[in-house]
Amino acid sequence: MSEFKELSWQGLWKNNPALVQLLGLCPLLAVTATVTNGLGLGLATTLVLIGSNTTVSIIRNWVPSEIRIPIFVMIIAAFVTIVQLLMNAYTFTLYQALGIFIPLIVTNCAIIGRAEAYASKNTIGKSAFDGLMMGLGFTVVLVLLGAMRELLGYGTLFDGANLLLGDWATSLKITVFETESPFLLAILPPGAFLCMGLLIALKNVLDSHMERLFAAKSEDKVVQRARVTTES
Amino acid sequence: MKFRLASSPHQHIRRDTGQVMRLVILALVPGVLMQTWFFGWGTIIQIVLAVITAVATEAAILELRKRDFERALKDYSAILAAILLAVSIPPFAPWWVIVIGTFFAIGIVKQLYGGLGFNVFNPAMAAYVMLLVSFPVQMTQWLPPMNLAQYSHDFMDALYVVFTGFSVEGFSLAQLKTDIDGVTMATGLDTVKTGLAQGFTFSEMIDFPIFDSVISGLGVASSWITLSYLLGGLYLLKQKIINWHIPVSMIMGLFVCSMIMSLVDSDLYPSSLFHLFNGSIIIGAFFIATDPVSASTTNKGRLIFGAAIGVWVYLIREWGGYPDAVAFAVLIMNMAVPLIDYYTRPRTYGHSSNKGKPINKAQS
């Protein structure tokens, strides 16, 4: 059980694919102009990660290590195609909004990285769980980034959520402030870089804060020193 | 008699950062006054807004970083950046434009990189580019010079337009932009850029009312503003606040490029005079590119840095999407500064100039 706990901790925080490993930056920075886009791409990536991790784990004992990379890439490409067709069928507007970045999930280093580093060495259950957690960690960052940029850029949150979640989600849209002139920098890629930098900084601050808390706690313990010299 | 041995520097009268920055601000005064004369009180209002925002941002972030903010505020560097940004943006831009811009300049470009002395990019110019990219409509609303405008405006009008978008009599910014003929007017550089795209030749366009009728190619307002900033810049040179290398090489870079192209085809490529006396090349050369933090630090490097900015300004003005380019050019060359400094390291005393090795005594 602690293995699963460790996997969640690694995927969501300590080894977060977006904030720590800085993998898959291209879709991360390109499509997160709104929360909906971020969430859509995050979920698609998560699905691909779970699928590819599971499959790679299943066949790990039969793949010759010399040609493992092409095989992993083909597996990932197959899952990306499935997700792409599903999105084309059920969330067509979002599919159009995300455009080239859905097929580009194939090139997301986070996916092949997990296949190579984890799934090809571990059992099916653990690999699938690792894919889920890594995907969720990626999704959380995408959604946060999308929220920051949408809030700064358009002054709204969850605009267009109905494209992803169905018509009921239209009421999710929150208008924080009205603006006639959108803050284009936040919507354009430079804004994504700036927001990403701020998120990473925030994570580092939290980390050092927690470290200090932890250090303070351990200092409280009274340590009994062992006597090393004999009294003469 | 006894001689006291001391290591260099032997000149002990040195200015601290605050004095330098105050002198630069002083040198900006003639240009600012001239700009106010031609474009109305908006410039002053923008400067006040920018300075307030800059000081508040600097104090807040230094407090967050647990630094001595009193000392940092006294060095006037944030105020100078704020003023440079405020004179770059259109005088009647809405108040939130300058507030966002100044916050970005001080908070993101300066303090996030480590504060004064650590910023890679020129804060005022980075913020200007950010504003230009983010709010293209508000950032291009330049009014016609006062003597050409259809509606005159005073201090209260300026205050009302900046905060509400309408003057006291209820004229909108678009109405204030019309000139005596009732036509919306753009800046000199903008006029020529759009005119060339519409098929006018340069010699036809210099008869437009925005340009001086005596010396062809000079903007009515911009040539006076440019001369005033030039005056301030020469004062800085005389006070030895800045070296001559960057301004001279930057102006020469633009001058040579525009002269060559103008000789090739004077109908399509505006004259050198037009380029020097329109837009922000002079204030850029003397006040912006000479920023001691983000500019090159060696003399040879300064020459390369300035000349490259001049060339970039010309390239972007002629073939880029924006009418003026000083901010873009300065930012591009800011990125190249570490490389320039690396390759132009001056010779250390006692070392030969190549490879920094000690002089071989057998050779000399």
Side-chain angles (χ1 to χ4, degrees), chain A:
Chain A
M1 196 58 217
S2 71
E3 175 83 22
F4 286 105
K5 218 183 200 171
E6 178 65 21
L7 280 179
S8 324
W9 176 242
Q10 290 279 349
L12 291 177
W13 186 263
K14 190 152 179 266
N15 214 3
N16 188 302
L19 287 184
V20 180
Q21 305 180 51
L22 296 179
L23 292 176
L25 281 185
C26 165
L28 186 84
L29 299 170
V31 302
T32 52
T34 64
V35 177
T36 315
N37 285 3
L39 187 64
L41 190 83
L43 291 180
T45 311
T46 309
L47 282 179
V48 174
L49 253 172
I50 298 173
S52 70
N53 262 12
T54 317
T55 319
V56 166
S57 180
I58 291 172
I59 60 164
R60 69 183 189 280
N61 293 330
W62 289 277
V63 175
S65 70
E66 290 85 0
I67 55 161
R68 67 188 190 285
I69 301 290
I71 291 177
F72 293 167
V73 171
M74 284 202 310
I75 291 168
I76 295 167
F79 277 103
V80 170
T81 313
I82 294 169
V83 169
Q84 188 186 0
L85 289 175
L86 280 174
M87 290 184 81
N88 196 347
Y90 293 104
T91 59
F92 184 65
T93 332
L94 187 69
Y95 170 79
Q96 281 184 320
L98 293 181
I100 186 69
F101 291 100
I102 304 173
L104 275 182
I105 296 175
V106 180
T107 60
N108 190 330
C109 320
I111 299 174
I112 190 129
R114 287 328 283 175
E116 167 74 11
Y118 194 87
S120 63
K121 299 183 183 88
N122 287 285
T123 55
I124 301 165
K126 280 181 193 168
S127 298
F129 191 74
D130 178 72
L132 175 69
M133 280 307 150
M134 284 287 164
L136 281 183
F138 193 64
T139 310
V140 168
V141 176
L142 280 173
V143 169
L144 273 180
L145 208 54
M148 284 170 82
R149 293 175 64 188
E150 193 180 340
L151 194 62
L152 281 175
Y154 302 104
T156 60
L157 277 176
F158 302 108
D159 186 18
N162 52 323
L163 303 180
L164 181 66
L165 304 170
D167 282 334
W168 64 272
T170 320
S171 56
L172 275 180
K173 181 181 169 180
I174 306 164
T175 308
V176 181
F177 59 89
E178 296 279 353
T179 174
E180 281 172 11
S181 42
F183 187 33
L184 286 177
L185 184 85
I187 304 161
L188 294 171
F193 275 105
L194 286 173
C195 291
M196 185 71 188
L198 291 175
L199 273 183
I200 295 175
L202 182 70
K203 181 184 179 292
N204 288 347
V205 167
L206 286 176
D207 269 346
S208 68
H209 191 69
M210 282 201 295
E211 213 167 82
R212 225 176 304 137
L213 272 183
F214 189 71
K217 254 182 204 164
S218 61
E219 261 174 36
D220 288 344
K221 284 184 197 162
V222 182
V223 181
Q224 197 74 42
R225 276 191 63 191
R227 184 179 291 279
V228 284
T229 49
T230 50
E231 275 176 305
S232 54

Side-chain angles (χ1 to χ4, degrees), chain B residues 301-330:
Chain B
R302 286 186 180 122
L303 287 175
I304 300 171
F305 178 75
I309 292 179
V311 174
W312 271 115
V313 168
Y314 188 73
L315 291 178
I316 301 176
R317 274 187 185 179
E318 286 300 330
W319 294 287
Y322 290 95
D324 203 358
V326 172
F328 293 104
V330 167

